[in-house]
């Protein structure tokens, strides 16, 4: 297929900066060669999305939504590009950047799929829920509010980004790898009706059983799937180069198995990989893992 690589060096959403260099780290880890070796046509999107350097951006006057204006601007531009790629029937692969870029990806995908009445689902692989609002966020970092806004909760500027209204039905969201939730977002996630598989669920049931449940969830809830993969879903011993590491995460094999099984589902039409921070990495291993995840999702097998 045609895979459009979108480098989105957005670095406003989080506390620890450096994720703006994540796309270049993944590029240097060989993502183009890897995907071309699988038979895909790789197209690099030549667009800076109007992203300025974080050090020169205006943080704004709302401490519960820091850098709101530059994030809205960048994600609106991302949404336009994603909608165009999805309309063409191609595969947008977004490389972040912090997780606030999901505001743009889901806005663009929603706009495209609504034209054909396709139900969009989201597999959100993350240690965190990103389901705070400006009222519940303890930090005001928008990468912790982005999925809630995409699901219709929170500031109007985020909820109505690109097109008015929510971009994803929260009942079509499935989390894998959760292990660090704020009290307010946990309540909102229950209220919204998302499906969540925490690391405790993995311990109780085993990862292969979780994967079966994830696949069944999407088969019964939606027509197309977007994968939003935050590298902090992995245990920091496997992925040290990420901004908000939390002990007790997924291991390398689990991440690859999940991507292989999602590939077999034949419903995934888009993906983003976020929160690669080369400043914190060791020999670019986190970026190399990101390349492996994309490859497994797009058809690489061991045998």
């Amino acid at each position: 297929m045609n895979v459009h690589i979108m480098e989105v060096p957005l670095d406003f959403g989080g506390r620890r900066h450096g994720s703006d260099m994540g796309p270049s780290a993944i590029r240097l880890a060989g993502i183009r060669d890897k995907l071309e070796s699988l038979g895909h046509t790789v197209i690099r999107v030549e667009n800076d999305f109007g992203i300025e350097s974080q050090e020169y951006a205006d943080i704004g006057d709302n401490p519960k939504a820091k850098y709101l204006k530059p994030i809205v601007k960048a994600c609106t531009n991302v949404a336009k590009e994603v909608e165009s790629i999805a309309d063409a029937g191609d595969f947008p692969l977004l490389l972040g950047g912090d997780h606030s870029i999901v505001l743009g990806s889901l806005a663009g995908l929603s706009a495209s799929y609504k034209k054909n009445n396709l139900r969009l689902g989201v597999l959100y692989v993350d240690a965190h829920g990103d389901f705070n609002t400006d009222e519940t966020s303890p930090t005001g970092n928008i990468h912790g509010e982005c999925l809630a806004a995409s699901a219709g909760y929170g500031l109007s500027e985020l909820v109505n980004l690109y097109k008015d209204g929510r971009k994803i039905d929260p009942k079509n969201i499935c989390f894998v790898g959760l292990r660090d939730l704020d009290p307010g977002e946990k309540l909102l996630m229950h209220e919204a009706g998302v499906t969540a598989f925490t690391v405790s669920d993995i311990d109780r049931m085993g990862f292969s059983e979780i994967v079966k449940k994830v696949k069944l969830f999407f088969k019964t809830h939606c027509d197309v799937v977007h994968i939003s993969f935050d590298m902090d879903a992995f245990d920091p011993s496997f992925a040290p180069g990420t901004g908000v590491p939390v002990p007790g995460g997924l291991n390398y094999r689990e991440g690859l198995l999940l991507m292989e099984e999602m590939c077999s589902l034949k419903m995934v039409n888009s993906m983003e990989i976020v929160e690669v921070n080369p400043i914190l990495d060791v020999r670019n291993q986190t970026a190399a893992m990101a390349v492996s995840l994309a490859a497994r999702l797009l058809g690489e097998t061991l045998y």
Side-chain angles (χ1 to χ4, degrees), residues 220-291:
T220 56
H221 282 74
C222 57
D223 303 303
V224 291
V225 178
H226 173 68
I227 295 180
S228 192
F229 204 118
D230 189 318
M231 295 303 287
D232 71 22
F234 287 110
D235 189 86
S237 62
F238 295 98
T242 189
V244 192
V246 183
L250 304 182
N251 65 40
Y252 196 10
R253 293 203 311 270
E254 289 169 338
L256 296 180
L257 174 63
L258 180 58
M259 293 301 97
E260 284 188 20
E261 291 297 310
M262 292 304 295
C263 176
S264 73
L265 195 60
K266 301 188 184 307
M267 295 175 66
V268 180
N269 286 2
S270 55
M271 181 187 196
E272 69 217 342
I273 304 174
V274 301
E275 302 286 0
V276 172
N277 189 328
I279 292 176
L280 306 172
D281 209 1
V282 178
R283 297 185 297 277
N284 214 31
Q285 70 183 63
T286 306
M289 287 178 66
V291 173

Side-chain angles (χ1 to χ4, degrees), residues 61-75:
D61 55 7
N62 185 350
K64 289 295 187 178
K66 299 170 185 174
Y67 298 104
L68 177 63
K69 288 183 178 179
I71 288 174
V72 168
K73 175 184 176 182
C75 287

Side-chain angles (χ1 to χ4, degrees), residues 205-225:
M205 290 184 274
F207 196 71
S208 60
E209 185 63 26
I210 294 293
V211 172
K212 290 178 185 177
K213 291 180 180 294
V214 169
K215 293 174 70 176
L216 179 62
F217 173 88
F218 287 115
K219 286 178 182 178
T220 56
H221 282 74
C222 57
D223 303 303
V224 291
V225 178

Side-chain angles (χ1 to χ4, degrees), residues 281-303:
D281 209 1
V282 178
R283 297 185 297 277
N284 214 31
Q285 70 183 63
T286 306
M289 287 178 66
V291 173
S292 295
L293 292 171
R296 294 295 178 92
L297 177 67
L298 291 169
E300 184 182 52
T301 59
L302 293 176
Y303 183 73

Side-chain angles (χ1 to χ4, degrees), residues 164-207:
D164 286 350
R166 74 181 187 186
K167 311 308 186 294
I168 178 71
D169 185 337
K171 291 181 174 56
N172 293 346
I173 297 172
C174 181
F175 289 90
V176 171
L178 288 174
R179 58 192 187 277
D180 186 14
L181 298 175
D182 296 312
E185 73 174 334
K186 187 186 297 186
L187 291 173
L188 183 57
M189 290 167 72
H190 281 288
E191 176 187 321
V194 304
T195 293
F197 296 106
T198 68
V199 290
S200 293
D201 294 320
I202 294 170
D203 290 339
R204 292 188 189 99
M205 290 184 274
F207 196 71

